[in-house]
């Protein structure tokens, strides 16, 4: 008998029928002899509808009240889910973030978990009940107010509960059946990975893979929680995200070369991530004197924009000026542009170029550490395909390149093939996504 | 400077526009220099929609989970209301039933208030904030679970807060501008009452008047809370419900004879209540031996039906049998009929007659105590109008008669005129109603 934490996103509980299907899945897990704790998101578009209402009553929402408002969404879904389980003859009890002991700091809208004290959950489990917990929400002890965790909050709730309850596995259900070697909508030959290391998962998530939130993966890595990303709509085993020292369940070890001990067998690359959400800003004619780059990025940081990649061109000796390019989320671009334009005279640059037609392609693999020639394969594949590389950045287990947005899908397919990642069949793709 | 508790029902906060209008009303009260505590219901049809969802996921809802579900409705409306007030430049803080210290017993769906400990509300008031509290919900200390108060819960929340905070007045806002001498949809000449005694209000509410819930009026009477029933949609002063020892605010004393000290000036009758929600069951051929009536009403009580009026006909000496009629809510009739039919052989009655075409007319007035001839006026008016009386019941300050349902409206108009209650103008009627 194991203790299993399951997380269901908004699309998995979008309506009464979906809730009943999820209830059945939970009951099946219980019938198999396991203790079950479930973290659940708000139904379908509830959160967006509540945000829309908030905008209608007030142009700027008081953060405390916005959290009070948004936290009601999970109360609805969790109570309905508990009722559905009840009607199948199983005892189920729902708990708010505060009742579940999700203690956070007081940062409304983006609270950090500071402690998890699941006393009531343990009591309910000891009494044989299935436990349903509101995802995304917590409670601050000092203000005694309700908080929300921000983007990916329900995933984080699930992983934090798994850590606090010492669960055997944290199953994150969504509308896709695991982590793929690439986004199957972009690369039809993408294969589902049976296992992926948490460090690879972090790089994939940070570079466009959408199945898991970075924050939840980080929490899992830090607290030694095994994540299993799987689909609400199929019975496949999904993908196990393993942190150092973990071994995948016996049932899938033999099926996948990536789970075996020998590094010889391990493919170099875990996957190819694609991201169309970034824009590029180029600061042209920056005086090539020490401290100018620091000056520029201090201005950008102060504007609230999050810079990703940075490239500085070699200075043209004749002019004593250089160009600096950086990428950032498209939604942050206007912030950065406005801030830089305001300081143009002080910094002394010539002009700003904004390019929102870029695409970012990243190749991720723990095997990069021990294998050479990984980047050569990437550059060769892109060159053969006639794709121009505009920027490059690397980490220990990742290479990212910026290309034209129109080239991104074709580039991803070529690169996916070049690293030997193609599967035999086309991947099944489901629509929608959860919180 | 006074402390004013205000309650807004579902129809007053049905959408973003309504919420902004209510927020403005609250802010106006605050601007006038008063401390304001607001109890708010769920938006419009939210509760019905949530109940509908519950029915879809489970035929029978687990009571604890149903309370968890329904209590989310007020969290939405209170947070939105607090945001709207914020955006008008005033500090507002919303509190759940549990945060507000509404301690109840553990009866899910119909919890009774056992204590009110508004520590956080006092703190917020001391800090100058407008306080918004979720109506309809509470918290049980033993189970640490969320409860709901049942029908009329938000009115009761408001009155209980007014009592605990020692408020100067509890303003109950709805879509009608006060208590009328009759339902204006039935009697167009009905007049708004400036004041009504709480005992009269209890009788009116118990006999079909819909503006205030009995439970809230009882709570107000027991704890000495002055209720002011008024409209969200107009600026009228509404109706003050006065318990023993209270005097109406100076502004309206001179305007109404009912507020003056001299009993000579007090009209005998406060109003005429009408009720089409009752049915009549007649048990025919009951053996006329001691204990049979008790037997019958024990069976009815056990079925869960709530009996209102009871009439036993004079026994026909020849047969040794009698008929017993009683009224009860239409919705309870099938319960009672089934229970009685099952025990027919034991009780020994001959048959059951179910009549759901009845109407109940009640004349209510504290003046009845000191004036004779009140019932004669009623009977004479009905007789002149050709309305047949089927059952009669009386209390110290009320006479009720059962007539044909089709006759009820006409009877009410005739009786209203006979007691000199008619106003000069037709009443304004608004649509909808709140929780």
């Amino acid at each position: 008998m194991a203790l299993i934490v399951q997380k269901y996103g908004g699309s998995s509980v979008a309506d009464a029928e979906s809730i009943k299907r999820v209830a059945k899945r939970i009951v099946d897990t219980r019938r198999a002899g396991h203790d079950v704790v479930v973290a659940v998101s708000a139904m379908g578009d509830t959160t967006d509808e509540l945000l829309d209402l908030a905008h209608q009553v007030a142009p700027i929402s008081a953060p405390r009240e916005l959290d009070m408002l948004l936290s009601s969404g999970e109360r609805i879904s969790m109570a309905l889910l508990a009722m559905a389980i009840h009607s199948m003859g199983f005892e189920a009890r729902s708990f708010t973030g505060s009742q579940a002991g999700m203690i956070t700091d007081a940062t409304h809208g983006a609270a950090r978990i500071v402690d998890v004290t699941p006393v009531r959950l343990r009591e309910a489990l000891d009494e044989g009940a299935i436990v349903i917990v509101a995802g995304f929400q917590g409670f601050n002890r000092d203000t005694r107010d309700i908080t929300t965790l921000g983007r990916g909050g329900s995933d984080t709730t699930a992983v934090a509960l798994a850590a606090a309850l010492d669960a055997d596995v944290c199953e994150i259900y969504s509308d896709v059946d695991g982590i793929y070697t690439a986004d199957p909508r972009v690369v039809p030959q993408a294969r589902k990975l049976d296992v992926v290391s948490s460090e690879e998962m972090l790089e994939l998530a940070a570079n466009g893979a959408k199945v898991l939130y970075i924050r939840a993966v980080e929490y899992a890595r830090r607290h030694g929680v095994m994540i299993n990303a799987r689909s609400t709509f199929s019975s496949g085993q999904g993908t196990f995200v393993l942190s150092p020292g973990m071994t995948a369940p016996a049932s899938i070890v033999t099926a996948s070369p990536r789970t075996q001990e020998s590094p010889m067998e391990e493919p170099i690359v875990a996957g190819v991530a694609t991201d169309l959400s970034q824009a590029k800003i180029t600061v042209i004619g920056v005086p090539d004197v020490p401290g100018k780059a620091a000056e520029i990025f201090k201005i950008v940081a102060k504007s609230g924009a999050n810079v990703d990649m940075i490239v500085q061109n070699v200075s043209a000796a004749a002019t004593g000026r250089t160009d600096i390019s950086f990428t950032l989320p498209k939604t942050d671009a206007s912030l950065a542009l406005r801030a830089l334009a305001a300081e143009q005279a002080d910094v002394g640059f010539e002009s700003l170029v904004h390019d929102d037609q870029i695409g970012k392609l990243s190749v991720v693999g723990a095997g990069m550490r021990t294998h050479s020639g990984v980047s050569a394969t990437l550059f060769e594949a892109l060159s053969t395909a006639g794709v121009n590389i505009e920027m490059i950045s690397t980490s220990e287990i990742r290479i990212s390149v910026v290309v034209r947005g129109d080239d991104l899908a074709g580039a991803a397919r070529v690169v996916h093939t070049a690293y030997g990642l193609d599967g035999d069949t086309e991947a099944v793709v489901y629509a929608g996504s959860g919180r």
Side-chain angles (χ1 to χ4, degrees), chain A:
Chain A
M1 177 163 130
L3 171 57
I4 296 177
V5 174
Q6 300 185 332
K7 179 262 173 173
Y8 294 94
S11 64
S12 301
V13 292
D15 53 31
E17 279 316 302
S18 312
I19 288 171
K20 285 198 262 187
R21 182 170 46 219
V22 164
K24 189 176 172 311
R25 188 141 203 156
I26 294 167
V27 163
D28 285 347
T29 310
R30 183 85 186 97
R31 277 213 180 96
H34 304 303
D35 279 340
V36 191
V37 173
V38 176
V40 65
S41 300
M43 292 171 72
D45 300 325
T46 305
T47 303
D48 289 339
E49 286 162 20
L50 291 174
L51 279 171
D52 185 48
L53 269 173
H55 280 291
Q56 286 177 47
V57 301
I60 297 166
S61 304
R64 177 189 186 276
E65 301 303 328
L66 193 60
D67 277 358
M68 185 68 95
L69 179 73
L70 295 183
S71 64
S72 65
E74 285 79 20
R75 292 168 78 105
I76 294 172
S77 54
M78 75 178 187
L80 290 171
L81 189 52
M83 285 178 197
I85 293 170
H86 254 277
S87 78
M88 293 174 185
F90 285 76
E91 170 71 9
R93 247 171 270 167
S94 71
F95 296 94
T96 63
S98 134
Q99 291 176 336
M102 294 291 297
I103 313 299
T104 72
D105 64 17
T107 317
H108 287 292
R112 309 294 303 183
I113 297 169
V114 296
D115 196 6
V116 183
T117 55
V119 182
R120 295 189 65 180
L121 309 194
R122 279 191 209 282
E123 285 173 13
L125 288 172
D126 288 347
E127 289 163 32
I130 292 167
V131 167
I132 317 287
V133 178
F136 181 67
Q137 59 183 252
F139 174 78
N140 180 261
R141 275 185 181 137
D142 300 326
T143 63
R144 289 166 295 170
D145 284 334
I146 286 143
T147 56
T148 63
L149 307 181
R151 271 181 67 79
S154 293
D155 284 16
T156 309
T157 299
V159 172
L161 289 174
L165 294 165
D166 199 17
D168 295 270
V169 64
C170 179
E171 299 178 342
I172 309 261
Y173 286 87
S174 71
D175 41 21
V176 292
D177 59 355
I179 312 300
Y180 275 72
T181 51
D183 183 341
R185 286 164 298 192
V186 176
V187 181
Q189 305 299 328
R191 279 186 302 109
K192 185 182 71 74
L193 294 164
D194 292 320
V195 296
V196 66
S197 74
S198 56
E199 62 175 349
E200 287 169 333
M201 190 64 238
L202 284 172
E203 289 282 8
L204 288 169
N207 290 284
K210 296 248 161 47
V211 180
L212 292 175
Y213 284 93
I214 297 179
R215 185 171 169 194
V217 179
E218 272 175 351
Y219 200 107
R221 185 173 167 79
R222 205 171 321 121
H223 293 86
V225 172
M226 187 189 294
I227 290 179
N228 180 200
R230 53 198 300 188
S231 166
T232 316
F233 306 100
S234 76
S235 58
Q237 270 203 314
T239 302
F240 286 86
V241 182
L242 303 180
S243 290
M246 286 182 191
T247 48
S251 58
I252 64 153
V253 168
T254 50
S256 168
R258 284 184 63 80
T259 58
Q260 294 172 11
E261 299 268 323
S262 159
M264 295 297 290
E265 297 285 320
E266 192 178 348
I268 298 163
V269 166
V272 177
T274 50
D275 188 357
L276 278 169
S277 71
Q278 302 249 319
K280 181 170 76 170
I281 290 174
T282 304
V283 190
I284 292 180
V286 180
D288 196 6
V289 293
K292 278 295 162 189
E295 209 176 317
I296 286 169
F297 290 105
K298 211 143 91 185
I299 294 166
V300 175
K302 232 177 112 184
S303 79
N306 285 302
V307 169
D308 180 22
M309 294 165 73
I310 298 175
V311 169
Q312 178 167 351
N313 293 351
V314 178
S315 169
T319 62
R321 287 179 179 269
T322 186
D323 302 340
I324 297 180
S325 295
F326 59 93
T327 64
L328 74 182
K330 276 180 183 166
T331 46
D332 290 357
S334 64
L335 283 177
L337 287 168
R338 220 174 310 144
L340 284 169
E343 309 281 341
Q344 179 165 6
D346 276 0
V347 182
F349 62 85
E350 286 163 4
S351 61
L352 292 170
V353 176
H354 174 215
D355 178 359
D356 63 358
Q357 300 295 311
I358 63 163
K360 183 169 141 192
L361 182 149
S362 304
V363 176
V364 173
M368 287 188 191
R369 279 205 197 87
T370 48
H371 287 73
S372 54
V374 176
S375 56
T377 305
L378 172 65
F379 300 148
E380 196 182 308
L382 291 175
S383 156
T384 307
V387 174
N388 190 41
I389 299 172
E390 302 185 9
M391 295 171 86
I392 301 173
S393 90
T394 61
S395 82
E396 210 185 348
I397 62 165
R398 173 184 55 83
I399 314 168
S400 297
V401 294
V402 168
V403 299
R404 284 294 89 203
D406 291 343
D407 288 342
L408 186 64
R413 284 191 286 268
V414 166
V415 170
H416 196 264
T417 305
Y419 284 106
L421 292 172
D422 288 0
D424 300 330
T425 54
E426 292 211 355
V428 185
V429 182
Y430 302 92
S433 82
R435 174 152 88 188

